[in-house]
Amino acid sequence: MMFYSSIFWLAFNFGIHIVMVNLVIGLAVLIPLLNYLGMKHGDQLTVSMARRLMKYYAATYGIAGVFGTAFTVFLFSYYPFATLVIGTVAIVPFAIAIAMVALNFFSLITYWYGWDRWSPRTHNFIGFLMAASALLIPFGFRGVFAFLNKPVGLYFTQSGPSLNVAEAYSNPTFWPLYLSSIVGALTATMIAIMAGFAIAYLKHPDNEKAYFEAALRKFFIPSLVGLLLMVPLMFAYLMSLTGVPYKFNNIMVGFGVTIGGDAAYNFTWIFVLHLALVALQFIALVYIAYAAFRGNLLSRHVAFWSVIGGAAALGTIEAGEMLNAFSQFPRFIASLNATQAASLPKPWGTFIAAYNNLTNYNTLAAASFGQFFTSFMMAIMIVVIIVFIYVVFFKGSSK
Amino acid sequence: MSGINVWQQLVDYGSWSTRGMSIVGIGIHWGILQYVLGLPFMAFIAELIYFKTKDPDWMRIAKVLVKGTALVFAVGAATGTLVEFGLITVWPRVLTAVGKWLYFPMYAEVFAFIMEVLVIYMLWYGWDKLSPKARLVLTFFAFVGPWYSGAMIVAANAYMQIPTGLIPDYNATTGQWLYAEGYPKLTLVIPNSIASLLNVTTLQSLHVQIMGTTSDGVIAAVPVTIVDRLVYESFAGYTLNQSILKLVLKPSALNDPGLAAVPVLNVVNSIMDSTVRYYNIYLYLFESPDFAPSVMHSIGAGLTVSGFTAMAGFGTRLLSVKDKRYKEYLLKAFKFSVVFSLIVIIYQGLIAGHEMGVAVAHYQPEKFAAFEGLGVPGFTSIAELLHTGPIEKLLAYGTLSAHLPNYGYLMTHYSGWGNLSPTLGVPGTSTYLPPLIVDYAYYAMVVFGIALGVYALILTGYIAFHRADRIPRFWLYLLVPAAVLAQLSSYMGWAAREMGRLPWVVYGMMTLSDTITVNVPPAWGEALFSVFYIVIGAALVYAVYRFLWVPSKREVLDEVTY
């Protein structure tokens, strides 16, 4: 596979974005839940834990938003005509996602700034909106992804292409993808929360002991259940891709499994990496369970394995998304080959045939100075993000 | 002759519900942007004054302004995302054109946006963790980020107003419109591989002028009616044998079946690519004559709205303040925002606004004609009502002997825009004129601006004579209306700018009908989204009230560490 900077930058931005988005979804659900349960049981530690996590949520949302926007801009600058096709066809799934992104953002702002200012009932309601909207954002975007797997529900009228929305949501790849995304996001976030409090515990054992222990007690079993659920969901999604042989073959060829022809590329190694990271999460959780069984839950070893588990969880998301994206390389719509695309009604058939190919990018946007500029600015931005994370999460007050 | 219905004229462009949704969505985003452009700059100046005076009140003023920035920026970022996806879904061809040819500023804007998000939140969340010097550095970037971001977005918008290489169609010295000669024209570079297939004599008969050559192409001034037609054909999937281009192809090329099946899109892409390269792919957009004045004017609008809003926020609190120490702080903040507002509104009116007007008068004479609305039977033109003609001539063209473009004349002769296409036997460009309602929007902006300037001058007068704490309540009661008026003035300016370029979305290149999606959402869906945007706007106002205004009622100065 040749190196294309256009694809590299898309993957880079998307990779950071998607990891952050998974944390956003998980935190949006878990924070109001923790706050509600803490308030209900008069458990101040749980309420305080929710409040601490809220700051992480806001910062995560900011970084997710930045890289999501960067991804969109890179997408339409490198692939303007592919964006035209997707934007025209997938208008309804996009509209769902847009509405939910906005609702999630506003509930985040009002939930965060309104803490202790709203009545508990109002605050809980806003928390519910925050959780519900976060769960529905991927309902829109995964609808678009499912379309990119296979354009189910695509019809052509005299004016152009249109999408039968009900049919689009019956896409065999949609529900396994959506459900595994939600379960994956919740699971990874729970493991990441344990890891976060483990880092705090390692830095300040006395101050953070109670929080770390509470995080383990609250999230260990749900995350183990989530991880167990992820295995069948992951394979359900893989099996749904048998309807998209091009993609399926690129994933499975390394195991000697292909359907109806050869694979164009071999991305089995990403799948193996993905599985290895899942296994690592299991090992981390098993170690924590073993330590708990031995009555030695609060130890540096457990904290260390929690951090390993958290890192593996985020790595699993990244690997899974990269596998999903690269396995359809170089196509935007995986199931359409050039001949099939060209046979669609004109002019859309012409557009799709020409611009379904990721190697057919806007050369103006990939000119040499542009690449230098992008790399230089990205390097600066990554440094700024590191400083940002340090100042917001780790730097102590100067008071 | 019966009077012209300015509303009907605006509605007649079609796609009303989609346009309405975009007007609401982008309008709310525009309103929010004003504060992101202005408040951090004000905070930066307050911090500089702190370093000069070492008076902690200035750091408190800066902190309040930064808090306001963080609040509105959050909502601005969300509405910006909505606008971006809105463009992708309902105006997808604009974004396609932007992505293909205008990508660089959008690309650079990503980094500006990243800078904004990270710097503004680092500044706000880390306020008590940072030293005053670190805050000053971050506050500097907190206003540079939005200005840089704004400049990049405006670059794309300025190109849509006046494309780089546009040769205008009006001679103000003689008062002549040059439609019959094929103007306005766009300077394009036609690659040799395409130029060699074209019949030069036929091209010249269509008023295409050969301006020169490059190493690999021919520089030509092409009537925008032809450009617009080719862009339309590109998106409609025409091939060469269906295109107007077949009329200018040499017979040998016309008879080549392979060539006949080439999509017009490929030809247009190739011409635009070589044109962009000719100007320099990174500087292409910035060479639009509209770019510099638009950036100056947009930032000026942000500073003005922010200044008057801060003035209202601090000033109205003065009306009911009881705590002496708190009053001292408020007086400093109020005086600062009054003087700031006066300075920026003078800049906005006399410098940035003037430059903007000159660019419009020279390169978008139809829009300028709509601003002035002269010579239209049955229409009450503000310029005719107030007899501002000589002033406009002097300001726009620098001489009283110039001729202002006359809208009444255009009403009779504007169909000249489409004259070339019927010659070719294909449908012509829409003959809609820019809507006359922009005359009212433009003059509303001017009149509001003058009123605000006078108001700021009166308040500055009180301050200059050390009577800031004895300003009659009457003037203080006007603070909130003035802030609303500043926002309204900015909104009117934006509306005049955007509506004035109709029927074009990219002046001379893409009409409104070329850009809208083929999957237009149902009107109820667009209305729902519009309501959604409005709720977001209301939520912002409420959030500012609840988290910025209500806590300040306690008359307690925020703790600031040094």
mmCIF file of all heavy atoms in Angstrom, chain A residues 117-148:
data_model
loop_
_atom_site.group_PDB
_atom_site.id
_atom_site.type_symbol
_atom_site.label_atom_id
_atom_site.label_comp_id
_atom_site.label_asym_id
_atom_site.label_seq_id
_atom_site.Cartn_x
_atom_site.Cartn_y
_atom_site.Cartn_z
ATOM 1 N N ARG A 117 -26.455 24.669 41.154
ATOM 2 C CA ARG A 117 -27.287 25.857 40.916
ATOM 3 C C ARG A 117 -28.691 25.475 40.472
ATOM 4 O O ARG A 117 -29.641 26.188 40.708
ATOM 5 C CB ARG A 117 -26.646 26.752 39.855
ATOM 6 C CG ARG A 117 -25.318 27.300 40.317
ATOM 7 C CD ARG A 117 -24.734 28.251 39.308
ATOM 8 N NE ARG A 117 -23.358 28.567 39.674
ATOM 9 C CZ ARG A 117 -22.700 29.636 39.294
ATOM 10 N NH1 ARG A 117 -23.288 30.513 38.543
ATOM 11 N NH2 ARG A 117 -21.453 29.847 39.649
ATOM 12 N N TRP A 118 -28.796 24.330 39.771
ATOM 13 C CA TRP A 118 -30.115 23.819 39.406
ATOM 14 C C TRP A 118 -30.672 23.035 40.592
ATOM 15 O O TRP A 118 -29.926 22.590 41.470
ATOM 16 C CB TRP A 118 -30.041 22.865 38.211
ATOM 17 C CG TRP A 118 -29.403 23.397 36.969
ATOM 18 C CD1 TRP A 118 -28.251 22.963 36.408
ATOM 19 C CD2 TRP A 118 -29.878 24.439 36.120
ATOM 20 N NE1 TRP A 118 -27.968 23.667 35.268
ATOM 21 C CE2 TRP A 118 -28.953 24.584 35.063
ATOM 22 C CE3 TRP A 118 -31.003 25.269 36.154
ATOM 23 C CZ2 TRP A 118 -29.114 25.518 34.054
ATOM 24 C CZ3 TRP A 118 -31.161 26.193 35.135
ATOM 25 C CH2 TRP A 118 -30.230 26.324 34.103
ATOM 26 N N SER A 119 -31.976 22.797 40.562
ATOM 27 C CA SER A 119 -32.553 21.862 41.535
ATOM 28 C C SER A 119 -32.067 20.465 41.127
ATOM 29 O O SER A 119 -31.757 20.237 39.950
ATOM 30 C CB SER A 119 -34.077 21.933 41.483
ATOM 31 O OG SER A 119 -34.520 21.385 40.258
ATOM 32 N N PRO A 120 -31.983 19.519 42.112
ATOM 33 C CA PRO A 120 -31.514 18.171 41.751
ATOM 34 C C PRO A 120 -32.333 17.562 40.613
ATOM 35 O O PRO A 120 -31.788 16.906 39.723
ATOM 36 C CB PRO A 120 -31.692 17.381 43.047
ATOM 37 C CG PRO A 120 -31.606 18.405 44.119
ATOM 38 C CD PRO A 120 -32.206 19.657 43.551
ATOM 39 N N ARG A 121 -33.635 17.800 40.626
ATOM 40 C CA ARG A 121 -34.490 17.223 39.581
ATOM 41 C C ARG A 121 -34.088 17.778 38.196
ATOM 42 O O ARG A 121 -33.921 17.025 37.241
ATOM 43 C CB ARG A 121 -35.957 17.563 39.888
ATOM 44 C CG ARG A 121 -36.944 16.948 38.915
ATOM 45 C CD ARG A 121 -38.323 17.509 39.190
ATOM 46 N NE ARG A 121 -38.874 16.959 40.431
ATOM 47 C CZ ARG A 121 -39.716 15.933 40.482
ATOM 48 N NH1 ARG A 121 -40.105 15.352 39.379
ATOM 49 N NH2 ARG A 121 -40.180 15.493 41.622
ATOM 50 N N THR A 122 -33.931 19.116 38.136
ATOM 51 C CA THR A 122 -33.551 19.731 36.856
ATOM 52 C C THR A 122 -32.168 19.246 36.430
ATOM 53 O O THR A 122 -31.940 18.924 35.254
ATOM 54 C CB THR A 122 -33.543 21.272 36.994
ATOM 55 O OG1 THR A 122 -34.787 21.669 37.523
ATOM 56 C CG2 THR A 122 -33.300 21.956 35.666
ATOM 57 N N HIS A 123 -31.262 19.203 37.398
ATOM 58 C CA HIS A 123 -29.902 18.791 37.071
ATOM 59 C C HIS A 123 -29.889 17.355 36.547
ATOM 60 O O HIS A 123 -29.194 17.044 35.562
ATOM 61 C CB HIS A 123 -29.026 18.921 38.328
ATOM 62 C CG HIS A 123 -27.562 18.970 38.025
ATOM 63 N ND1 HIS A 123 -26.635 18.290 38.770
ATOM 64 C CD2 HIS A 123 -26.865 19.610 37.059
ATOM 65 C CE1 HIS A 123 -25.433 18.508 38.260
ATOM 66 N NE2 HIS A 123 -25.544 19.316 37.236
ATOM 67 N N ASN A 124 -30.658 16.490 37.182
ATOM 68 C CA ASN A 124 -30.727 15.096 36.713
ATOM 69 C C ASN A 124 -31.333 15.008 35.323
ATOM 70 O O ASN A 124 -30.902 14.204 34.491
ATOM 71 C CB ASN A 124 -31.560 14.241 37.677
ATOM 72 C CG ASN A 124 -30.764 13.906 38.927
ATOM 73 O OD1 ASN A 124 -29.541 13.820 38.886
ATOM 74 N ND2 ASN A 124 -31.450 13.730 40.040
ATOM 75 N N PHE A 125 -32.329 15.839 35.080
ATOM 76 C CA PHE A 125 -32.961 15.821 33.756
ATOM 77 C C PHE A 125 -31.948 16.242 32.680
ATOM 78 O O PHE A 125 -31.866 15.629 31.612
ATOM 79 C CB PHE A 125 -34.189 16.741 33.734
ATOM 80 C CG PHE A 125 -34.819 16.838 32.370
ATOM 81 C CD1 PHE A 125 -35.526 15.762 31.846
ATOM 82 C CD2 PHE A 125 -34.674 17.979 31.594
ATOM 83 C CE1 PHE A 125 -36.088 15.831 30.569
ATOM 84 C CE2 PHE A 125 -35.224 18.065 30.324
ATOM 85 C CZ PHE A 125 -35.940 16.979 29.808
ATOM 86 N N ILE A 126 -31.184 17.287 33.001
ATOM 87 C CA ILE A 126 -30.158 17.723 32.036
ATOM 88 C C ILE A 126 -29.131 16.607 31.836
ATOM 89 O O ILE A 126 -28.664 16.353 30.716
ATOM 90 C CB ILE A 126 -29.478 19.029 32.517
ATOM 91 C CG1 ILE A 126 -30.501 20.164 32.547
ATOM 92 C CG2 ILE A 126 -28.318 19.417 31.602
ATOM 93 C CD1 ILE A 126 -30.033 21.408 33.269
ATOM 94 N N GLY A 127 -28.809 15.909 32.934
ATOM 95 C CA GLY A 127 -27.885 14.769 32.838
ATOM 96 C C GLY A 127 -28.439 13.678 31.945
ATOM 97 O O GLY A 127 -27.709 13.062 31.153
ATOM 98 N N PHE A 128 -29.731 13.465 32.054
ATOM 99 C CA PHE A 128 -30.375 12.465 31.194
ATOM 100 C C PHE A 128 -30.256 12.878 29.727
ATOM 101 O O PHE A 128 -29.940 12.054 28.855
ATOM 102 C CB PHE A 128 -31.844 12.299 31.606
ATOM 103 C CG PHE A 128 -32.656 11.527 30.616
ATOM 104 C CD1 PHE A 128 -32.554 10.139 30.546
ATOM 105 C CD2 PHE A 128 -33.498 12.172 29.727
ATOM 106 C CE1 PHE A 128 -33.282 9.417 29.609
ATOM 107 C CE2 PHE A 128 -34.234 11.463 28.785
ATOM 108 C CZ PHE A 128 -34.120 10.081 28.724
ATOM 109 N N LEU A 129 -30.501 14.177 29.465
ATOM 110 C CA LEU A 129 -30.377 14.682 28.083
ATOM 111 C C LEU A 129 -28.949 14.492 27.566
ATOM 112 O O LEU A 129 -28.728 14.132 26.408
ATOM 113 C CB LEU A 129 -30.718 16.176 28.023
ATOM 114 C CG LEU A 129 -32.174 16.584 28.081
ATOM 115 C CD1 LEU A 129 -32.284 18.097 27.950
ATOM 116 C CD2 LEU A 129 -32.969 15.909 26.959
ATOM 117 N N MET A 130 -28.005 14.736 28.467
ATOM 118 C CA MET A 130 -26.587 14.599 28.103
ATOM 119 C C MET A 130 -26.286 13.157 27.700
ATOM 120 O O MET A 130 -25.626 12.898 26.693
ATOM 121 C CB MET A 130 -25.745 15.013 29.315
ATOM 122 C CG MET A 130 -24.296 15.262 29.067
ATOM 123 S SD MET A 130 -23.584 16.165 30.467
ATOM 124 C CE MET A 130 -23.278 14.814 31.605
ATOM 125 N N ALA A 131 -26.782 12.208 28.502
ATOM 126 C CA ALA A 131 -26.522 10.790 28.230
ATOM 127 C C ALA A 131 -27.237 10.344 26.952
ATOM 128 O O ALA A 131 -26.642 9.695 26.081
ATOM 129 C CB ALA A 131 -26.975 9.950 29.413
ATOM 130 N N ALA A 132 -28.515 10.729 26.848
ATOM 131 C CA ALA A 132 -29.303 10.270 25.691
ATOM 132 C C ALA A 132 -28.729 10.814 24.391
ATOM 133 O O ALA A 132 -28.595 10.089 23.393
ATOM 134 C CB ALA A 132 -30.756 10.716 25.862
ATOM 135 N N SER A 133 -28.359 12.105 24.412
ATOM 136 C CA SER A 133 -27.824 12.692 23.173
ATOM 137 C C SER A 133 -26.490 12.050 22.805
ATOM 138 O O SER A 133 -26.214 11.821 21.622
ATOM 139 C CB SER A 133 -27.677 14.211 23.316
ATOM 140 O OG SER A 133 -26.887 14.518 24.439
ATOM 141 N N ALA A 134 -25.673 11.732 23.815
ATOM 142 C CA ALA A 134 -24.374 11.096 23.517
ATOM 143 C C ALA A 134 -24.587 9.721 22.878
ATOM 144 O O ALA A 134 -23.856 9.334 21.971
ATOM 145 C CB ALA A 134 -23.558 10.953 24.797
ATOM 146 N N LEU A 135 -25.595 9.001 23.334
ATOM 147 C CA LEU A 135 -25.859 7.672 22.766
ATOM 148 C C LEU A 135 -26.421 7.768 21.347
ATOM 149 O O LEU A 135 -26.284 6.832 20.549
ATOM 150 C CB LEU A 135 -26.823 6.903 23.658
ATOM 151 C CG LEU A 135 -26.286 6.521 25.045
ATOM 152 C CD1 LEU A 135 -27.376 5.891 25.898
ATOM 153 C CD2 LEU A 135 -25.099 5.576 24.922
ATOM 154 N N LEU A 136 -27.062 8.907 21.067
ATOM 155 C CA LEU A 136 -27.686 9.044 19.739
ATOM 156 C C LEU A 136 -26.771 9.689 18.694
ATOM 157 O O LEU A 136 -27.067 9.630 17.505
ATOM 158 C CB LEU A 136 -28.993 9.832 19.857
ATOM 159 C CG LEU A 136 -30.131 9.026 20.496
ATOM 160 C CD1 LEU A 136 -31.338 9.914 20.778
ATOM 161 C CD2 LEU A 136 -30.539 7.851 19.621
ATOM 162 N N ILE A 137 -25.673 10.302 19.133
ATOM 163 C CA ILE A 137 -24.733 10.867 18.132
ATOM 164 C C ILE A 137 -24.275 9.756 17.182
ATOM 165 O O ILE A 137 -24.377 9.895 15.958
ATOM 166 C CB ILE A 137 -23.527 11.563 18.804
ATOM 167 C CG1 ILE A 137 -23.965 12.813 19.541
ATOM 168 C CG2 ILE A 137 -22.468 11.934 17.753
ATOM 169 C CD1 ILE A 137 -22.881 13.424 20.430
ATOM 170 N N PRO A 138 -23.787 8.627 17.703
ATOM 171 C CA PRO A 138 -23.362 7.564 16.764
ATOM 172 C C PRO A 138 -24.521 6.939 16.003
ATOM 173 O O PRO A 138 -24.286 6.310 14.967
ATOM 174 C CB PRO A 138 -22.663 6.537 17.659
ATOM 175 C CG PRO A 138 -23.030 6.863 19.038
ATOM 176 C CD PRO A 138 -23.429 8.297 19.087
ATOM 177 N N PHE A 139 -25.740 7.117 16.494
ATOM 178 C CA PHE A 139 -26.871 6.610 15.719
ATOM 179 C C PHE A 139 -26.884 7.282 14.344
ATOM 180 O O PHE A 139 -27.196 6.653 13.335
ATOM 181 C CB PHE A 139 -28.188 6.867 16.457
ATOM 182 C CG PHE A 139 -29.362 6.172 15.839
ATOM 183 C CD1 PHE A 139 -29.605 4.835 16.091
ATOM 184 C CD2 PHE A 139 -30.219 6.847 14.979
ATOM 185 C CE1 PHE A 139 -30.674 4.184 15.496
ATOM 186 C CE2 PHE A 139 -31.292 6.198 14.380
ATOM 187 C CZ PHE A 139 -31.519 4.862 14.647
ATOM 188 N N GLY A 140 -26.536 8.575 14.334
ATOM 189 C CA GLY A 140 -26.433 9.273 13.048
ATOM 190 C C GLY A 140 -25.165 8.899 12.309
ATOM 191 O O GLY A 140 -25.208 8.454 11.158
ATOM 192 N N PHE A 141 -24.022 9.068 12.965
ATOM 193 C CA PHE A 141 -22.750 8.867 12.254
ATOM 194 C C PHE A 141 -22.529 7.402 11.858
ATOM 195 O O PHE A 141 -21.979 7.128 10.791
ATOM 196 C CB PHE A 141 -21.577 9.375 13.098
ATOM 197 C CG PHE A 141 -21.452 10.881 13.081
ATOM 198 C CD1 PHE A 141 -21.308 11.587 14.263
ATOM 199 C CD2 PHE A 141 -21.467 11.587 11.891
ATOM 200 C CE1 PHE A 141 -21.196 12.971 14.253
ATOM 201 C CE2 PHE A 141 -21.358 12.973 11.869
ATOM 202 C CZ PHE A 141 -21.225 13.664 13.060
ATOM 203 N N ARG A 142 -22.927 6.463 12.719
ATOM 204 C CA ARG A 142 -22.763 5.057 12.338
ATOM 205 C C ARG A 142 -23.686 4.702 11.169
ATOM 206 O O ARG A 142 -23.400 3.781 10.405
ATOM 207 C CB ARG A 142 -23.012 4.136 13.538
ATOM 208 C CG ARG A 142 -21.914 4.169 14.603
ATOM 209 C CD ARG A 142 -20.538 3.958 14.007
ATOM 210 N NE ARG A 142 -19.539 3.612 14.992
ATOM 211 C CZ ARG A 142 -18.236 3.612 14.757
ATOM 212 N NH1 ARG A 142 -17.757 3.973 13.576
ATOM 213 N NH2 ARG A 142 -17.377 3.263 15.696
ATOM 214 N N GLY A 143 -24.798 5.444 11.058
ATOM 215 C CA GLY A 143 -25.655 5.269 9.875
ATOM 216 C C GLY A 143 -24.883 5.606 8.607
ATOM 217 O O GLY A 143 -24.991 4.912 7.586
ATOM 218 N N VAL A 144 -24.082 6.679 8.683
ATOM 219 C CA VAL A 144 -23.261 7.066 7.535
ATOM 220 C C VAL A 144 -22.192 6.000 7.277
ATOM 221 O O VAL A 144 -21.945 5.602 6.128
ATOM 222 C CB VAL A 144 -22.600 8.446 7.776
ATOM 223 C CG1 VAL A 144 -21.709 8.833 6.602
ATOM 224 C CG2 VAL A 144 -23.653 9.515 8.015
ATOM 225 N N PHE A 145 -21.575 5.513 8.348
ATOM 226 C CA PHE A 145 -20.537 4.479 8.202
ATOM 227 C C PHE A 145 -21.104 3.214 7.569
ATOM 228 O O PHE A 145 -20.456 2.573 6.740
ATOM 229 C CB PHE A 145 -19.931 4.133 9.573
ATOM 230 C CG PHE A 145 -18.807 5.031 9.957
ATOM 231 C CD1 PHE A 145 -19.057 6.329 10.374
ATOM 232 C CD2 PHE A 145 -17.497 4.602 9.916
ATOM 233 C CE1 PHE A 145 -18.030 7.178 10.732
ATOM 234 C CE2 PHE A 145 -16.458 5.441 10.264
ATOM 235 C CZ PHE A 145 -16.726 6.733 10.680
ATOM 236 N N ALA A 146 -22.311 2.848 8.012
ATOM 237 C CA ALA A 146 -22.941 1.645 7.454
ATOM 238 C C ALA A 146 -23.183 1.837 5.963
ATOM 239 O O ALA A 146 -22.998 0.925 5.157
ATOM 240 C CB ALA A 146 -24.243 1.348 8.178
ATOM 241 N N PHE A 147 -23.584 3.075 5.602
ATOM 242 C CA PHE A 147 -23.786 3.389 4.188
ATOM 243 C C PHE A 147 -22.470 3.235 3.423
ATOM 244 O O PHE A 147 -22.450 2.755 2.278
ATOM 245 C CB PHE A 147 -24.313 4.819 4.048
ATOM 246 C CG PHE A 147 -24.542 5.237 2.619
ATOM 247 C CD1 PHE A 147 -25.736 4.960 1.989
ATOM 248 C CD2 PHE A 147 -23.550 5.892 1.897
ATOM 249 C CE1 PHE A 147 -25.946 5.324 0.664
ATOM 250 C CE2 PHE A 147 -23.745 6.257 0.584
ATOM 251 C CZ PHE A 147 -24.942 5.982 -0.042
ATOM 252 N N LEU A 148 -21.373 3.643 4.056
ATOM 253 C CA LEU A 148 -20.074 3.526 3.383
ATOM 254 C C LEU A 148 -19.640 2.063 3.253
ATOM 255 O O LEU A 148 -18.884 1.718 2.354
ATOM 256 C CB LEU A 148 -19.006 4.326 4.142
ATOM 257 C CG LEU A 148 -19.198 5.849 4.127
ATOM 258 C CD1 LEU A 148 -18.107 6.533 4.931
ATOM 259 C CD2 LEU A 148 -19.220 6.392 2.702
#
